Amino acid sequence: MTERVQRVLRIPEIPGGPDGRRMLWINLVDKIGSGLWLSVTALYFVVAAGLDTGRTGLLLGLGGVAGIAGAPIAGRLADRLPLTRVLFAVQVVRATSGLLLLTAHGFWQLLPLVALGSLGERSASVLTKLFAARVAGPDRPRYQAVQRTVVNLGYTLGGLAASAALAVGTTAVYRILLLGDGLSFVLVALLVTRCAEPPSALRVVIVRTASDSPAGAGATALPAASSPWRDTGYLGFAALDSVTFLHGSALTVGLPLWIVTRTSAPHELAAAIFVVNTVLVVLLQVRLARYGSSARVAANSLRQVALCFLLSCAATAVAVLHTPWAATAAVVVAAVAFTVVEMIQSAVSWELSVSLAPAHGQGSYVGVHGLAQSTSRCVGPLLITSVVIAAGPAGWIGLGAVVAGSALLQRRMVLRRLGGPRPAAAELPLSVAPITVSEQ
């Protein structure tokens, strides 16, 4: 990040030191490439790969299901191997799958490559989250806010470039955009090699004493890594998080379809709401990081998530008014409220997913938490289109009530967990690796 960008966003100092800044550049390059591809994914498979729309939908759906496994696999590997090496390997996998798509033909050749790319994308998301948690330490809420701002800038730049390229409309342009996406992962992999390995509670530092014998008098063995699959409290938190993550599908799938099919608002608003979302995130995400400044603050901020989600769904329901200006106003209110939910919930989810995990199982826990967003991304569009929109305004009110109730229940669960006994491993600071002294 340049000093100019820091001044514009009013960021006093980026946490995490040099490696924290490198990871922000990595995220920027990654998301610029992703923005190039995400803008034209479906069109590429129809125009350049020759699939019909039905097979294209099936291809993307099956590929998304494969991506669900990426989060827990990456988290588990990050507890056992150096995180930067795992991240490097994942970026190489993403680059390989993207570049091989250029040579693939037919549904069955494309499917494993799309699945591999989806797996890599979800894995990379969890690994960069873990890197940030480890390198930023107590400043992770502010670092996450800066990172989300950078991510949105990257998507915006990539999307704008893709939009300009699509004006040409040739098959070659689609292939060039896919090539740009693949090459961005190559560059990201190279940038990862320049990052030092962040401290981890499972990394053991070995030193020697002057006597060249094990200094074991004060040494203690590290506790075994905890299993998130046996932690019902954390699993409950993650399950409820998958419900609150429905704000993404509501904004990106539900609201545009609602505008076009059920309201008298101008259809151009369906595209404009994405601009509203991006601009607000860039301007406000860092400021709203305070809602995740600690585990207890994050838990209490779930009340704001519940209230804002109710407001956004109610505004969407009201948008069926036949007066165009009233429908437009309701849509704008809904888009802003959904974006506020996104910003607060992302800060809350980030902080709780890390702080509720015992230090010695941090990777595995955060990986399992990654299933929440992945599952929501797969189930959300179908739920929104086949249930919520189909039910009309009552469907939106019902969605708001369900998500708000889930957020309040999640708050109660988290506060109970914070007030109760914590696993012994959780007593260790998340950002500092314990040192076992042994002379080797």
Side-chain angles (χ1 to χ4, degrees):
M1 295 287 289
T2 63
E3 292 182 1
R4 181 177 298 177
V5 173
Q6 285 184 244
R7 287 197 298 270
V8 170
L9 299 178
R10 298 182 184 179
I11 304 169
E13 182 181 356
I14 296 174
D19 285 323
R21 290 190 288 272
R22 288 192 188 98
M23 189 54 67
L24 291 178
W25 280 109
I26 287 170
N27 271 286
L28 181 63
V29 174
D30 185 327
K31 301 313 177 186
I32 289 175
S34 297
L36 291 174
W37 174 237
L38 291 177
S39 303
V40 301
T41 302
L43 292 174
Y44 176 87
F45 292 125
V46 172
V47 176
L51 300 182
D52 58 35
T53 54
R55 281 183 166 252
T56 296
L58 181 61
L59 178 70
L60 295 175
L62 292 176
V65 170
I68 293 178
I73 291 174
R76 189 172 180 83
L77 288 175
D79 274 344
R80 287 155 176 77
L81 300 170
L83 190 153
T84 50
R85 294 183 188 176
V86 179
L87 183 56
F88 172 81
V90 164
Q91 298 296 358
V92 170
V93 167
R94 297 176 74 190
T96 302
S97 64
L99 295 176
L100 286 179
L101 278 174
L102 290 167
T103 64
H105 301 283
F107 181 87
W108 294 110
Q109 288 187 22
L110 293 168
L111 179 58
L113 297 175
V114 171
L116 194 62
S118 180
L119 189 76
E121 189 271 333
R122 297 310 307 156
S123 297
S125 177
V126 167
L127 292 171
T128 53
K129 179 177 181 179
L130 281 170
F131 185 96
R134 293 176 182 179
V135 79
D139 286 330
R140 61 179 177 264
R142 188 158 57 91
Y143 185 90
Q144 182 264 359
V146 178
Q147 182 168 274
R148 277 185 53 79
T149 302
V150 171
V151 164
N152 276 271
L153 283 172
Y155 276 131
T156 301
L157 293 174
L160 289 173
S163 299
L166 285 178
V168 179
T170 63
T171 301
V173 166
Y174 290 100
R175 296 189 179 279
I176 290 172
L177 291 174
L178 177 54
L179 176 63
D181 181 43
L183 292 178
S184 72
F185 300 137
V186 174
L187 178 56
V188 165
L190 294 175
L191 290 173
V192 169
T193 62
R194 301 192 62 186
C195 292
E197 179 67 16
S200 165
L202 285 178
R203 300 298 301 278
V204 180
V205 178
I206 307 297
V207 298
R208 280 186 174 275
T209 63
S211 62
D212 195 31
S213 61
T220 57
L222 290 175
S226 304
S227 172
W229 300 107
R230 299 176 182 175
D231 189 336
T232 55
Y234 194 88
L235 289 177
F237 156 72
L240 290 173
D241 230 25
S242 68
V243 179
T244 56
F245 269 124
L246 287 173
H247 64 75
S249 295
L251 176 64
T252 61
V253 177
L255 192 56
L257 289 176
W258 189 253
I259 291 170
V260 173
T261 62
R262 300 294 184 92
T263 78
S264 59
H267 289 186
E268 291 80 4
L269 272 179
I273 60 175
F274 293 105
V275 177
V276 171
N277 175 263
T278 301
V279 170
L280 287 178
V281 170
V282 170
L283 293 177
L284 300 178
Q285 183 68 77
V286 174
R287 294 175 177 82
L288 295 183
R290 66 180 185 274
Y291 286 99
S293 58
S294 71
R296 195 166 293 276
V297 169
N300 285 318
S301 296
L302 286 165
R303 290 178 295 192
Q304 282 81 7
V305 171
L307 179 62
C308 289
F309 202 95
L310 275 175
L311 173 62
S312 55
C313 287
T316 306
V318 170
V320 295
L321 293 171
H322 293 297
T323 308
W325 70 264
T328 299
V331 166
V332 171
V333 169
V336 171
F338 274 128
T339 302
V340 172
V341 171
E342 174 190 339
M343 291 186 288
I344 296 178
Q345 196 267 343
S346 67
V348 169
S349 178
W350 165 280
E351 175 60 25
L352 293 180
S353 67
V354 175
S355 62
L356 295 181
H360 288 84
Q362 190 184 98
S364 296
Y365 271 68
V366 173
V368 167
H369 176 263
L371 285 171
Q373 188 171 11
S374 298
T375 303
S376 185
R377 288 174 61 176
C378 287
V379 176
L382 179 62
L383 176 67
I384 295 294
T385 55
S386 62
V387 178
V388 176
I389 292 180
W396 285 102
I397 298 299
L399 176 67
V402 169
V403 173
S406 298
L408 294 177
L409 178 59
Q410 189 182 46
R411 172 180 176 270
R412 183 177 178 182
M413 288 177 60
V414 170
L415 288 176
R416 186 186 302 124
R417 183 179 177 100
L418 292 175
R422 299 290 303 279
E427 300 301 323
L428 294 166
L430 292 175
S431 60
V432 180
I435 299 178
T436 300
V437 180
S438 171
E439 302 299 344
Q440 212 87 311

